[in-house]
Amino acid sequence: MVFLFVAVPLVVAGVLPLLGKLSKRVLPDILSNLTFLFLLVYAATAGRQIIAGGPVSQQILWFGEPVQILLGLDGLALFMLMAIALVSLCAGIFSIDYMEHYGAKANYYALFLIMVAGMNGLVLAKDLFQVYLFLEVAAVASYALVAYGLGYEELEAAFKYLLLSVVASAFVLIGVTVLFGLTGSLGFEAVGRGLQELPAGPMAALCAALFVAGFGLKAALIPFHAWLPDAHPSAPAPISAMLSGLLIKVSGIYALTRIFFSVFGLTSLLSNLLMGLGVISAVVAALLALGQKDIKRMLAYSSISQVGYIVLGIGLGTPLGILGGLFHLFNHALAKGLLFLTSGSVQMATGTRNLDEMGGLAKRMPWTAATNLVGSLSIAGVPPLGGFWSKLVIIMALVQAGRWPYAVIAVLASVLTLWYYLLIQRKAFFGKIEERWKDIREAPFWMTAATVILALLCIGVGIFFAAVLKSWVQPAADVLAQGVTAVIPRGR
Amino acid sequence: MSVQILLLIGLVLFSVAAVLLKDLIKAAICLAAASLVLGILFFRMGAPYAGAFEISVVAGLITVLFMLTIALTKTGGDVAESKLARVAFPLFFILFLAVDVIVTKNLVQKIVALPAAPEAGAFGEVLWKQRTLDLVGQVCIIFAGVLAVLALFRKRSKDNDD
């Protein structure tokens, strides 16, 4: 039942506010984390079997009547579902202790679950309008979650995020409308076929431009990034982890890739545009991150930079490039989730996000410091962690395709990344401990547990990268690569 | 055809007025008028369901919600708008119109017109049976909105209790 990926979190989200009246803390904690666990186990066990015979579309009986709920599960969708389930489970475990002082936990988890349901729906969508619809589901929940602290800064950030995100959704919706007007259908395959038959060059180009702008805003690629450095740091730490680790990738990169690879086909112009956006994001955001004093803001800029890497790999369009881009997406989701969670632990212990005020925290918070170091090194691309292999694959793909300048810039941006992550280590965790941090304590059990799980995953993916690549990433990359060969003749 | 064009002009004028007017009540009324015109356009172009929804929901329900909100909020919290907006908006609007005219003129003839499908009768079938997932998605969005309101106003109600 593919529909369970959307239905289960929704139903639980519907029940939670009622259960929250009975038990304010324990029941919401248990129920929502069990839901995340179920999604993870279901994706890992049943997902593989479902798609063993190729992509699946499903029709469902609703009160005895057959209704058309078409969801498509293929290698790429399953890969994204796994990533979503993994990071949301860890963020959910982290929330058990972290969200205590925010209050209204049942409500928080309900919004969290709706966001997850929206992302799952988007990943499984088979037609353009559903992409737009589930984009909005995840977005509406995320606005409220960014503002969850209700402070001035949070509300301002959420409002800015809301306005720019609405513009993005409007671009996407206009694009979908025009495509529907052109081809008379909404399904990916049908629209793709329709576009090939119609003499609609300029119109298709207009739609492509609208989608690049819309999904570019959602993914916060560089000219469209203004909202992200405010929104992501202002959210509660587990939500920052979800937004930076998953939401920008699902509603930005995944949607963009899916539509461009299976509807328009990746033309060389489009490929160059995406690679250009990617490389600018990777370099400029890395430079901007260097100057930040707020630890979460630095992480947010780092997200833009890493999204640049992913788009660079996928935009290249060769099988190896797509493989590297997707693998980096996965590694970045794990590592950036981990880093935002540890920054939440630090903020909870010290009450500040300013790097200049910290120092020597490793002595008092050894687990947080160690896990943060693992995440930093993984994103910076230090072997043998996951991030190293994915960056290596992207750079190899660039070299293989003869794109030397891009490869050189990618390596240099990686050095910048290492630089600012070492800054975090030096300023926050190493050195002499300041007098006023003498009494701080390690984060509570569940928060530490969540970060340790993610850190172990970062290490595990790095050590067993060949197995992970072969069993999870390759089937996903194959789906996209087939899309390229299937549709590209028109573009050449 | 000329009625159509008059209606379209009315739609644009009312929409611009809704943006530019400073009095919120008047702006809300202009928005309702714009949506009423849009509803009539839908009817005239053979989309009765879209017209009915447009008029009942946007012109009716949403206007009532706006009016209620405006009536319930206190005056005195006015935020001064920057002067720039009053200059920038007309400029942007004219620019948009110019681009719109050029793009549409060049592109309209190139689109192959679809045969108009009779909407009536099949509407319920389409909505409930073929686009069921869209309904699920819409329910999700409304649900998320309700939860968002509950979450964002939770502290205020607690403060009132104290």
Side-chain angles (χ1 to χ4, degrees), chain A residues 109-391:
Chain A
Y109 278 120
L111 282 166
F112 192 160
L113 283 163
I114 291 184
M115 186 165 82
V116 171
M119 287 195 276
N120 282 353
L122 205 165
V123 165
L124 294 168
K126 287 281 284 176
D127 81 34
L128 291 168
F129 188 72
Q130 280 158 15
V131 166
Y132 163 75
L133 202 60
F134 284 104
L135 200 71
E136 286 290 90
V137 173
V140 170
S142 70
Y143 306 143
L145 286 169
V146 168
Y148 209 78
L150 294 179
Y152 182 83
E153 185 199 343
E154 283 99 331
L155 291 173
E156 192 196 355
F159 191 64
K160 197 171 175 185
Y161 172 36
L162 169 76
L163 284 186
L164 282 172
S165 180
V166 163
V167 173
S169 307
F171 280 148
V172 172
L173 185 60
I174 298 171
V176 171
T177 317
V178 175
L179 279 182
F180 181 59
L182 277 175
T183 60
S185 48
L186 286 165
F188 289 150
E189 288 94 2
V191 174
R193 253 182 280 119
L195 280 179
Q196 275 176 314
E197 288 161 10
L198 284 174
M203 252 352 214
L206 180 73
C207 293
L210 284 167
F211 284 136
V212 168
F215 293 125
L217 262 167
K218 291 272 181 192
L221 288 170
I222 267 285
F224 312 113
H225 69 289
W227 59 274
L228 187 140
D230 288 327
H232 287 195
S234 302
I239 299 305
S240 308
M242 287 297 288
L243 295 179
S244 251
L246 294 174
L247 190 66
I248 52 171
K249 304 202 182 73
V250 173
S251 65
I253 297 171
Y254 173 82
L256 185 81
T257 328
R258 183 64 102 177
I259 288 181
F260 278 128
F261 278 72
S262 56
V263 176
F264 289 100
L266 192 73
T267 60
S268 64
L269 174 71
L270 205 55
S271 162
N272 283 327
L273 178 69
L274 288 180
M275 287 175 74
L277 285 175
V279 94
I280 290 171
S281 302
V283 175
V284 176
L287 290 172
L288 286 170
L290 270 177
Q292 301 303 319
K293 295 217 168 1
D294 178 335
I295 178 169
K296 282 177 90 176
R297 224 177 147 78
M298 191 185 261
L299 295 177
Y301 274 110
S302 159
S303 288
I304 304 176
S305 170
Q306 301 307 312
V307 160
Y309 262 101
I310 299 167
V311 171
L312 182 64
I314 295 177
L316 180 64
T318 62
L320 196 62
I322 295 170
L323 184 74
L326 289 177
F327 193 30
H328 197 55
L329 185 155
F330 185 67
N331 284 324
H332 181 247
L334 293 181
K336 189 50 65 68
L338 168 60
L339 287 169
F340 266 117
L341 293 185
T342 51
S343 76
S345 303
V346 169
Q347 190 187 356
M348 196 165 140
T350 63
T352 179
R353 300 203 308 243
N354 190 336
L355 281 169
D356 289 343
E357 292 176 20
M358 299 170 190
L361 297 180
K363 295 191 183 65
R364 290 276 169 269
M365 308 178 77
W367 287 101
T368 307
T371 48
N372 185 292
L373 184 66
V374 171
S376 299
L377 294 182
S378 176
I379 289 196
V382 175
L385 297 160
F388 167 73
W389 299 108
S390 49
K391 282 191 178 180

Side-chain angles (χ1 to χ4, degrees), chain A residues 10 13-14 65 67-68 71 102 104 107 110-111 114 127 129-130 133 136-137 144 147-148 150 181 184 198 202-203, chain B residues 103 107 110-112 114 128-134 136-138 140-141 143-145 147-148 150-152 154-155:
Chain A
L10 266 188
E65 291 254 355
V67 292
Q68 202 76 11
L71 293 167
Y102 279 87
N107 217 323
L111 282 166
I114 291 184
D127 81 34
F129 188 72
Q130 280 158 15
L133 202 60
E136 286 290 90
V137 173
Y148 209 78
L150 294 179
L198 284 174
M203 252 352 214
Chain B
V103 170
L107 294 178
K110 290 180 184 151
I111 304 175
V112 185
L114 294 168
W128 289 102
K129 291 216 177 143
Q130 290 177 24
R131 309 293 307 173
T132 318
L133 194 58
D134 295 2
V136 175
Q138 285 175 32
C140 295
I141 292 182
F143 187 42
L147 281 171
L150 285 177
L152 295 185
R154 70 185 191 279
K155 221 171 217 168

